[in-house]
Amino acid sequence: MADDSAKKDLREAAREYESKLADALGRQSEPKSAPKTSYGMPLKSVYTPEDTGGQDYLRDLGFPGAYPFTRGIRPDMYRGRLWTMRQYAGFDTVGETNSRFRHLLEQGLTGMNVAFDLPTQLGLDPDHPLASSEVGKVGISCPSVRQMETLFHELPLKQVTPSLTVNASAQSVLSMYVVTAQNQGIPLEQIGGTTQNDILKEFIARGNYIFPPGPSLKMTVDLFEYCAEHLPRWNFINICGYHVREAGSSLVQELAFAFGNARAYLDEALSRGMEIDDFAPRIAFNFSVFNNVLEEVSKFRAARRLWARLLKERYGAKNPRSLTFRTGAGSGGSTLVAQQPENNIVRVTLHTVIAAMAGVQSMHTASMDEAHALPSEEAATLALRTQQIVAYESGLADVIDPLGGSYYVENLTDQIEEQVEEYLTRIEERGGMVAAIESGWVVQEIGEEAYRLQREVERGERVVVGLNRFTTDETPPIELHTPDPSVASTVRGEIDGLRKDRDPKALSRALDELKSVASEGGNLMPATLEAVRSLATVGEVSGALRDIFGEWQAPNV
């Protein structure tokens, strides 16, 4: 009875508040339209217990480290171990990138995100005609195991693990890393790190695919099988909502399409006879962090709950580690602005605070100059210092899920989860993620959202400080990284030397075996490893598979 009375009092007070609010808004000379979330849902002016009335604490929130993991995947979270502090680097030669990682490790970096150039990502060697203008530009050129060995020369791979940000050529790149780690004396069972290996998001967000969706999905899950048996510490996929968001999707679409991709991978693995608890604990994620603090925190909270429920209810996972949504977070590059680049320092600080409050497992912070060029050493160091200041000086690592219990955050968390589930239903109605990709529907959905967001910016409805409001004509001097024009010829020379040194008969046998396994539908990882040990290049491995699988041409939408 007392509870009913309290609810009645709350509703009466709420009506009184709404009346006062309406009067206040009515007195404004220029009434403003009601604000909405970034994904189009109307926002109330204030949130109360009524907006979380449907929640059951243990069912929907629980405690950190316990189902449904809304509040965090470990009971101690940052009290036990801080997030892994990563920086994304890869430019010019592998030697230059090795030096950048050495510098950042000396400054306190605890994880390495390796960027590969477009030819390496697309399975082309640096001497291929299509590669000439892109060698070493947006990442390192790494066509063979020799470049991989130089990249990681004398880096502490047992203590600081890399994330290899590559998808279409993930098997070749992982094979090169495995050979490199073994040559450093690290046994297979101790090799740790991550391959992004999320090829489906390439079809919908970045376009860096080689083979059609079917063979591409098969190759992705080949890594699941191989790593589950031989590399128990390796995260064999980093399912990437980040690039979906960067392509222009909404926050809801970012989660929905990433989870749609995840279901496709899970279903493919299970169709091969794998057991869910044998591989699900090694699945990791990577999501963007944009500037809206409370929406972004709620996104990660909703994602943890969605993943736990999906794995438990749909896939029957029993191991609690299978239910844990392990994710990295990265500054949304598209939130950075070329105008007034110092403002990006504030934006990246927001990203860091958001990710810390959201309880992510690793973090990459962008640099202030990335809207202009690849980060300078000074800017990359400042981005790392931003993480360190938040970790050690802000107090955000002291309490788990500090925004938990906020009426607004809890309401947003529920709302985002509901919106994502609706999108997942739509994907299923279209025959699953692969069918939705092949039809062009996913790309169309993202394109329409990207257009809407851009129109809001151009009309001034979405304020971007320094770009469409509070602008200046001044161009502040900042020192930018300039690509080395000699890199392409240097790498081509290294490839020429490699081809002269290797055993052509052993190479031919290895590539023929790779083609044979591909034709028969077997797991390609062992044959790819043998080809790499025979000094096959990324281009040669991908070329052999092109002969079997062909190349994908995207549908016009």
Side-chain angles (χ1 to χ4, degrees):
M1 216 37 203
D3 188 50
D4 290 340
S5 177
K7 287 181 179 179
K8 182 179 178 181
D9 291 344
L10 175 60
R11 288 168 184 158
E12 184 174 328
R15 283 193 293 270
E16 183 179 343
Y17 165 76
E18 292 294 339
S19 176
K20 292 178 179 178
L21 176 65
D23 289 343
L25 293 175
R27 290 194 297 271
Q28 292 181 355
S29 57
E30 296 182 13
K32 298 177 182 178
S33 59
K36 298 179 179 180
T37 65
S38 66
Y39 48 93
M41 300 299 290
L43 281 173
K44 298 174 66 173
S45 58
V46 69
Y47 287 76
T48 72
E50 289 279 285
D51 297 294
T52 59
Q55 278 193 342
D56 178 283
Y57 185 85
L58 291 179
R59 182 195 67 200
D60 299 323
L61 299 174
F63 286 87
Y67 186 83
F69 302 100
T70 310
R71 307 202 66 185
I73 66 168
R74 299 197 317 270
D76 56 352
M77 289 300 289
Y78 301 146
R79 285 189 169 194
R81 182 173 73 247
L82 284 172
W83 62 85
T84 300
M85 298 183 189
R86 296 188 181 275
Q87 289 302 114
Y88 190 48
F91 59 94
D92 292 347
T93 65
V94 286
E96 287 287 330
T97 301
N98 176 275
S99 297
R100 171 65 62 86
F101 278 129
R102 285 173 181 269
H103 165 75
L104 291 172
L105 287 167
E106 290 171 358
Q107 304 307 312
L109 190 76
T110 56
M112 300 175 286
N113 275 18
V114 183
F116 295 90
D117 68 3
L118 291 177
T120 302
Q121 293 184 51
L122 292 168
L124 300 174
D125 288 334
D127 54 356
H128 191 284
L130 294 176
S132 59
S133 64
E134 289 293 340
V135 176
K137 290 291 177 64
V138 297
I140 55 166
S141 176
C142 193
S144 80
V145 69
R146 285 190 175 174
Q147 283 72 35
M148 187 70 76
E149 288 172 340
T150 302
L151 173 63
F152 291 111
H153 181 62
E154 294 186 350
L155 293 179
L157 299 183
K158 288 184 178 180
Q159 291 79 37
V160 183
T161 59
S163 178
L164 307 176
T165 310
V166 66
N167 300 281
S169 55
Q171 292 199 359
S172 297
V173 171
L174 175 58
S175 296
M176 291 191 293
Y177 183 76
V178 168
V179 172
T180 297
Q182 287 182 309
N183 289 344
Q184 288 194 15
I186 304 175
L188 283 176
E189 63 273 13
Q190 293 181 22
I191 295 175
T194 302
T195 32
Q196 192 164 97
N197 192 35
D198 179 7
I199 193 59
L200 292 181
K201 61 90 179 175
E202 292 293 331
F203 291 101
I204 63 178
R206 292 182 72 239
N208 285 351
Y209 46 75
I210 303 173
F211 314 108
S216 297
L217 178 60
K218 175 217 176 303
M219 292 174 66
T220 293
V221 179
D222 281 354
L223 259 72
F224 285 38
E225 284 188 324
Y226 179 83
C227 294
E229 183 175 354
H230 300 287
L231 297 174
R233 293 190 60 226
W234 193 265
N235 299 315
F236 40 73
I237 192 167
N238 192 252
I239 298 171
C240 186
Y242 181 96
H243 288 129
V244 177
R245 190 76 174 280
E246 288 292 275
S249 82
S250 70
L251 174 155
V252 167
Q253 289 173 330
E254 177 188 15
L255 274 184
F257 293 145
F259 276 49
N261 290 342
R263 291 199 311 198
Y265 299 132
L266 293 172
D267 292 343
E268 173 68 15
L270 293 171
S271 74
R272 298 191 187 188
M274 298 181 72
E275 297 291 333
I276 189 72
D277 287 321
D278 290 341
F279 66 90
R282 300 310 303 179
I283 292 175
F285 290 83
N286 178 34
F287 280 86
S288 68
V289 184
F290 275 39
N291 298 347
N292 190 305
V293 175
L294 299 178
E295 282 187 13
E296 294 294 324
V297 171
S298 301
K299 175 182 75 177
F300 286 98
R301 299 175 85 249
R304 281 194 289 268
R305 190 160 70 205
L306 276 161
W307 183 249
R309 288 176 172 168
L310 177 71
L311 269 289
K312 182 178 182 180
E313 296 171 10
R314 182 183 178 106
Y315 292 101
K318 301 292 192 297
N319 184 347
R321 292 183 63 242
S322 298
L323 311 180
T324 56
F325 175 81
R326 297 181 305 120
T327 189
S331 296
S334 59
T335 68
L336 306 182
V337 179
Q339 294 84 352
Q340 303 176 28
E342 292 93 341
N343 293 345
N344 293 330
I345 298 172
V346 181
R347 294 183 175 102
V348 171
T349 303
L350 275 179
H351 302 158
T352 311
V353 167
I354 290 166
M357 291 194 294
V360 305
Q361 281 60 66
S362 68
M363 200 184 300
H364 156 68
T365 38
S367 301
M368 61 172 284
D369 53 0
E370 285 192 53
H372 288 274
L374 293 175
S376 66
E377 186 171 285
E378 294 75 15
T381 304
L382 177 60
L384 176 60
R385 291 285 181 261
T386 304
Q387 290 196 50
Q388 292 165 335
I389 290 169
V390 170
Y392 293 102
E393 298 184 26
S394 72
L396 288 175
D398 296 340
V399 176
I400 301 165
D401 189 29
L403 293 180
S406 156
Y407 305 132
Y408 177 45
V409 167
E410 297 299 355
N411 182 274
L412 270 180
T413 302
D414 290 347
Q415 186 184 91
I416 291 169
E417 180 182 25
E418 181 180 342
Q419 296 273 311
V420 171
E421 287 178 333
E422 288 178 7
Y423 242 112
L424 290 171
T425 299
R426 293 169 66 187
I427 292 168
E428 201 147 16
E429 289 170 350
R430 283 165 172 78
M433 199 65 186
V434 174
I437 289 170
E438 291 176 335
S439 71
W441 175 76
V442 180
V443 171
Q444 186 174 8
E445 287 287 298
I446 295 173
E448 289 174 358
E449 179 66 17
Y451 178 75
R452 180 183 73 83
L453 295 175
Q454 184 60 31
R455 291 289 288 167
E456 288 180 2
V457 172
E458 292 176 0
R459 290 170 176 165
E461 298 165 1
R462 183 180 295 265
V463 175
V464 182
V465 174
L467 178 65
N468 63 4
R469 196 179 295 184
F470 313 113
T471 59
T472 66
D473 295 328
E474 298 177 9
T475 305
I478 58 172
E479 189 172 337
L480 300 176
H481 170 82
T482 303
D484 183 349
S486 68
V487 168
S489 60
T490 299
V491 178
R492 283 194 289 267
E494 292 173 353
I495 286 295
D496 287 341
L498 174 87
R499 289 178 175 144
K500 292 174 183 175
D501 290 346
R502 62 194 183 183
D503 181 344
K505 291 183 178 179
L507 175 67
S508 180
R509 285 195 299 271
L511 292 176
D512 286 345
E513 176 63 16
L514 179 63
K515 287 184 179 182
S516 176
V517 174
S519 298
E520 295 168 1
N523 190 305
L524 294 169
M525 268 303 294
T528 305
L529 271 164
E530 287 309 307
V532 165
R533 288 195 178 98
S534 300
L535 299 183
T537 64
V538 169
E540 289 163 343
V541 170
S542 297
L545 296 176
R546 279 185 176 94
D547 291 344
I548 307 301
F549 298 141
E551 291 188 347
W552 174 247
Q553 299 297 322
N556 293 321
V557 294

